[in-house]
Amino acid sequence: LTFAASDGAPRRFLQCAEEDLAPFVARVREPALKHAVAFGVAFLHDGMMPAEREAVEALFSSGAIQVVVCTASLAWGLTLSSSLVIIMGTQYYDGSNMGGADYPVTDLLQMMGRATRPPGSGSIGEAVSGGSCTCVLMCHAPRKEYYKKFLFEPFPVESHLDHFIADHLSAEVVTRTIENKQDAVDYLTWTFYYRRMSQNPNYYNLTGVSHRHLSDHLSDLVESTVADLSEAKALAVEDDMDLSPLNLGMIAAYYYISYNTIELFSSSLTAKTKMKGLLEILCSASEFDVLPMRPNEEE
């Protein structure tokens, strides 16, 4: 606003008549926001009232105001789009690490994805032929090459099936798709994991890509996975080859939960477990490990 005023055009970002703006300004209680909106600039943050946020989004979506400043925590909940997105920095203050921490790349991609509104369009749904959108990413100089490489050069997509094979194997045993260890090895040969092993063996700690190397690796993976599932009482091994599901494995497959979680519940829950104990056991479920948390909400 200061620079716009110094150029002699304080309302350069306002694209509607003041009488059309008045009904929306009346819904805004925050003095700073009300003042900024009158000049075509607004801001959004987590502490805003829903009515204020709706007013800002409506004004920007219609093209009445042209600039909206948002906090990074709104990256996933924001539905607005723009012809120009400027990301002012790639780090946030992390008190637990006593300094700055990088935003996850997924968050940055989500912010960049807001640049989907053709220049000159009056609304989000209005298309303008030949228009292009721009995203400006401002980052610390040493990180510049990293982000350039990430944005302009493709990264290979690798499989992490070996980290989650136990739950998949247990579910396939329950459905009788896999009835023995050889079935399990054959099952793995139809996966993306198997394809990538031959293309990038170093990533999967393989010493070669011959049929013997791949077969031995899959056999070892199946053996170790079956041993873990058997120890967790998710399945039973008969004659050192045949696999059959047990109750815990069937429950885990039916409710789509990890075999580690069902093993924890089975070993920890008793008829005398109190409410506090129930909550502690429930919160120890491995499924909670993959839930993302916003910065500073770890506790």
Side-chain angles (χ1 to χ4, degrees):
L1 290 177
T2 302
F3 283 113
S6 65
D7 289 340
R11 300 183 186 274
R12 61 182 299 180
F13 300 117
L14 184 64
Q15 302 297 313
C16 69
E18 293 187 21
E19 54 269 21
D20 295 330
L21 187 67
F24 295 93
V25 175
R27 295 157 58 182
V28 177
R29 295 184 178 182
E30 192 168 344
L33 179 58
K34 182 175 294 188
H35 173 76
V37 167
F39 292 91
V41 178
F43 54 83
L44 294 173
H45 57 80
D46 291 326
M48 292 183 66
M49 300 292 292
E52 294 178 329
R53 178 167 176 172
E54 291 172 3
V56 170
E57 291 180 347
L59 289 170
F60 187 77
S61 299
S62 65
I65 62 176
Q66 291 189 308
V67 179
V68 172
V69 181
C70 304
T71 57
S73 56
L74 293 177
W76 291 96
L78 197 64
T79 58
L80 300 177
S81 61
S82 175
S83 59
L84 173 63
V85 170
I86 301 175
I87 302 176
M88 295 286 293
T90 60
Q91 292 186 322
Y92 65 91
Y93 177 75
D94 186 0
S96 61
N97 292 331
M98 301 301 293
D102 290 327
Y103 285 117
V105 173
T106 51
D107 285 7
L108 293 177
L109 290 176
Q110 184 70 12
M111 298 177 198
M112 295 175 186
R114 298 299 93 207
T116 56
R117 184 178 181 180
S121 61
S123 62
I124 294 178
E126 181 182 344
V128 175
S129 61
S132 61
C133 303
T134 304
C135 177
V136 178
L137 177 63
M138 297 184 177
C139 64
H140 192 42
R143 304 289 288 171
K144 180 179 178 180
E145 292 303 319
Y146 166 77
Y147 287 114
K148 284 178 63 177
K149 184 177 180 64
F150 178 80
L151 293 174
F152 300 117
E153 297 181 17
F155 280 106
V157 178
E158 301 295 348
S159 172
H160 289 171
L161 178 62
D162 52 332
H163 299 288
F164 306 96
I165 185 61
D167 291 318
H168 292 283
L169 183 60
S170 178
E172 298 298 346
V173 170
V174 170
T175 59
R176 300 294 183 177
T177 301
I178 295 175
E179 296 185 344
N180 53 59
K181 294 180 180 178
Q182 185 58 48
D183 287 345
V185 174
D186 295 341
Y187 171 83
L188 289 175
T189 62
W190 290 90
T191 62
F192 178 66
Y193 174 72
Y194 180 75
R195 298 294 184 270
R196 289 306 302 168
M197 282 198 307
S198 60
Q199 298 296 321
N200 192 4
N202 291 334
Y203 185 84
Y204 301 96
N205 297 321
L206 292 176
T207 57
V209 294
S210 67
H211 178 73
R212 165 81 54 174
H213 285 99
L214 297 179
S215 179
D216 289 346
H217 180 78
L218 293 182
S219 296
D220 292 342
L221 179 61
V222 168
E223 287 288 350
S224 61
T225 303
V226 167
D228 291 340
L229 291 172
S230 177
E231 184 178 354
K233 299 180 180 179
L235 56 76
V237 183
E238 302 171 1
D239 300 327
D240 199 35
M241 176 58 70
D242 297 331
L243 307 176
S244 58
L246 297 179
N247 286 338
L248 294 184
M250 289 187 282
I251 294 172
Y254 183 82
Y255 290 104
Y256 293 94
I257 58 178
S258 169
Y259 81 99
N260 287 320
T261 298
I262 200 66
E263 180 188 17
L264 172 67
F265 290 172
S266 176
S267 61
S268 303
L269 292 174
T270 65
K272 297 181 179 180
T273 304
K274 302 297 182 182
M275 180 61 69
K276 179 181 178 181
L278 286 174
L279 290 175
E280 290 177 347
I281 295 170
L282 180 63
C283 292
S284 299
S286 59
E287 281 71 13
F288 291 112
D289 295 340
V290 299
L291 292 179
M293 291 181 292
R294 290 184 298 184
N296 303 321
E297 287 191 354
E298 290 83 358
E299 300 298 330

